[in-house]
Amino acid sequence: MLKTALKLSAVSLALSGGILTAHAGGLERSSQDFDILFEEGNVVETGATFVAPQRKLKNIRGSVFPANPVPNQNFGKPFDTEVDEGKTYWVPKLSAKIQLTDELGCAVQYREPWGIDTDSGINNARMFSAIEQEISSRDYGLNCAYRFSAGEKGFFRILGGVSYQELKGRQTKISGVPLDPNNPRNLTFANSTLDVDDSAFGWRLGAAYEIPEIALRASLVYQSKVNYDLDGTVGVSLIGAPLSFITPVNGSVATPQSVEFKFQTGIAPDWLALASIKWTDWKSITKIGFENSGTGPFLGRFPVGAEVTSLDLYYKDGWTVMGGIGHKFNDKWSGAATVTWDRGTTTGLTSQTDVWLLGLGANYKATQHLEFRLAGAVGILTSGTLDNTLTAKNGGSQFGSKADFGTDVVGGMTLSAKYRF
């Protein structure tokens, strides 16, 4: 009989699911946690993940600029050709699981599933596409698992859950505003700010099979898309002038559906092997347009119903593959190591290329009821080129730009605590 501790799985998943997901492709920062439902008894777990991506854009260059820009301090000097795009951030998480009956357990959870936080500055050609981009989210979820006997030592579980999500987005960039509606090339520059938000519901459904005696567990979970009807404003302030203009806008987006398979099994006394694979439908997000929903034309050239601005993402599907091994050293300490590959979702418009991550973590059982986990990871962000000049020509960003980036480093740390009662 294998004496593998199930808690090793949780340590390993804190490595891959915590740090890697927090810097995966697309917008994902935190995934749903059904693993707590496999814990015995009542459990409260809280923690946070810190991520530090070191993404530097190089050789930034722009497409043809307008013939008659208004001079100002930003454009009166050469453009920067390098900029640090990545910003550090935290991703918190809280779960509380209650065992309602011998067969039924449920967990309420708080997480922040979607996010972007980049700042490329105001003195390079990227400022016409985006200066700062910030997307934040909150997810208030309920997950449940119902267990059936399946064979002499096995169990089958039905997994399901619902969530109420909040999503907010903000983007600033430099826009060209015509001084004369009859002469679109007679432009001045302006600061443009997009602010939108909405809330919506999502759901998930899955199944799992386990043999606790040998720490074997296999689960498959489907996560639905979440449809958002984003309302907000676009504001424009002319550079060098006290004038400002604002209009309400509306746009829609659906966060992607996903399917995730997880597997673990004991392989020797106190040793555990685990793996997972996840597909995320990021290709469903292409261009997110925001239309003038006011009562009249905006800036004299955007009638009601016309697209004022857009987020041009055009992602491709995301794949995340993880493998790892865990070991129980004694009754107090256990540890795990994982290797994870996340396929980048960029099609050339963002710097979200492939990520390779190596993680190490430890679990310390302080008392019968209290445990602490610490996991660290380091990885590489693969190199590439971003180019939105094509979307600029087809009605996207008014002045496109290109940039190169080399192989960069990402690091992170997850710290969490668990209490059983």
Side-chain angles (χ1 to χ4, degrees), residues 104-243:
L104 178 64
C106 291
V108 292
Q109 299 179 340
Y110 170 80
R111 65 190 186 99
E112 298 180 0
W114 319 109
I116 282 182
D117 195 0
T118 62
D119 185 355
S120 57
I122 61 171
N123 192 52
N124 61 80
R126 292 287 297 164
M127 65 185 176
F128 297 105
S129 303
I131 300 172
E132 286 187 274
Q133 294 188 99
E134 182 177 355
I135 293 175
S136 60
S137 62
R138 295 178 177 179
D139 181 292
Y140 306 91
L142 173 66
N143 291 329
C144 293
Y146 190 84
R147 188 177 74 171
F148 306 86
S149 293
E152 182 179 351
K153 299 179 180 180
F155 296 95
F156 180 77
R157 293 182 191 250
I158 298 296
L159 311 173
V162 294
S163 282
Y164 172 76
Q165 286 189 4
E166 299 172 342
L167 185 69
K168 294 184 178 181
R170 176 182 173 86
Q171 183 195 68
T172 62
K173 64 180 180 180
I174 300 296
S175 298
V177 178
L179 295 172
D180 180 358
N182 298 318
N183 183 9
R185 293 189 63 82
N186 185 13
L187 299 175
T188 187
F189 289 110
N191 295 308
S192 176
T193 301
L194 168 71
D195 272 298
V196 292
D197 63 76
D198 190 28
S199 58
F201 289 91
W203 58 273
R204 47 207 163 267
L205 186 64
Y209 176 75
E210 61 178 327
I211 303 177
E213 186 177 64
I214 60 171
L216 185 146
R217 183 196 305 166
S219 64
L220 183 67
V221 176
Y222 168 79
Q223 170 73 51
S224 75
K225 63 182 180 180
V226 181
N227 295 302
Y228 286 99
D229 186 18
L230 298 167
D231 291 312
T233 61
V234 167
V236 173
S237 299
L238 300 180
I239 296 177
L243 300 177

Side-chain angles (χ1 to χ4, degrees), residues 2-137:
L2 296 176
K3 299 187 296 179
T4 306
L6 280 173
K7 65 184 179 183
L8 293 180
S9 173
V11 178
S12 300
L13 293 171
L15 297 170
S16 60
I19 298 172
L20 190 278
T21 303
H23 198 70
L27 314 176
E28 190 169 14
R29 283 189 173 177
S30 176
S31 60
Q32 283 295 333
D33 178 16
F34 277 98
D35 296 284
I36 195 172
L37 293 173
F38 293 87
E39 299 273 359
E40 295 182 1
N42 304 319
V43 183
V44 175
E45 184 174 9
T46 184
T49 298
F50 173 75
V51 183
Q54 308 297 313
R55 177 61 91 193
K56 180 183 286 291
L57 302 182
K58 304 175 182 179
N59 192 25
I60 304 173
R61 61 268 192 204
S63 57
V64 179
F65 293 125
N68 186 29
V70 174
N72 62 75
Q73 60 179 353
N74 292 324
F75 308 126
K77 58 182 180 180
F79 285 118
D80 294 331
T81 59
E82 292 189 6
V83 65
D84 292 319
E85 182 188 45
K87 297 174 66 175
T88 60
Y89 54 88
W90 287 88
V91 183
K93 192 174 183 179
L94 174 65
S95 299
K97 179 247 182 178
I98 301 295
Q99 193 68 40
L100 301 173
T101 70
D102 290 342
E103 294 77 25
L104 178 64
C106 291
V108 292
Q109 299 179 340
Y110 170 80
R111 65 190 186 99
E112 298 180 0
W114 319 109
I116 282 182
D117 195 0
T118 62
D119 185 355
S120 57
I122 61 171
N123 192 52
N124 61 80
R126 292 287 297 164
M127 65 185 176
F128 297 105
S129 303
I131 300 172
E132 286 187 274
Q133 294 188 99
E134 182 177 355
I135 293 175
S136 60
S137 62

Side-chain angles (χ1 to χ4, degrees), residues 223-366:
Q223 170 73 51
S224 75
K225 63 182 180 180
V226 181
N227 295 302
Y228 286 99
D229 186 18
L230 298 167
D231 291 312
T233 61
V234 167
V236 173
S237 299
L238 300 180
I239 296 177
L243 300 177
S244 63
F245 307 89
I246 191 169
T247 187
V249 293
N250 175 267
S252 61
V253 67
T255 57
Q257 60 184 342
S258 65
V259 178
E260 184 171 23
F261 175 74
K262 293 182 179 180
F263 178 80
Q264 68 169 55
T265 184
I267 53 176
D270 295 329
W271 287 90
L272 182 79
L274 66 154
S276 68
I277 182 169
K278 182 178 182 179
W279 165 80
T280 307
D281 186 25
W282 284 112
K283 72 175 183 304
S284 62
I285 298 182
T286 56
K287 176 181 178 180
I288 308 171
F290 296 93
E291 299 177 350
N292 179 6
S293 58
T295 58
F298 179 55
L299 298 177
R301 62 190 183 108
F302 297 106
V304 176
E307 183 180 285
V308 177
T309 189
S310 67
L311 299 179
D312 303 313
L313 299 174
Y314 293 95
Y315 287 136
K316 63 183 179 183
D317 280 353
W319 288 92
T320 304
V321 180
M322 182 273 293
I325 192 166
H327 180 58
K328 180 183 176 181
F329 298 102
N330 52 49
D331 290 339
K332 292 288 187 180
W333 289 95
S334 58
T338 59
V339 176
T340 309
W341 168 70
D342 182 81
R343 189 181 83 157
T345 55
T346 181
T347 56
L349 300 181
T350 71
S351 61
Q352 293 169 315
T353 52
D354 289 9
V355 180
W356 288 90
L357 197 74
L358 172 64
L360 296 173
N363 188 97
Y364 174 67
K365 187 175 181 179

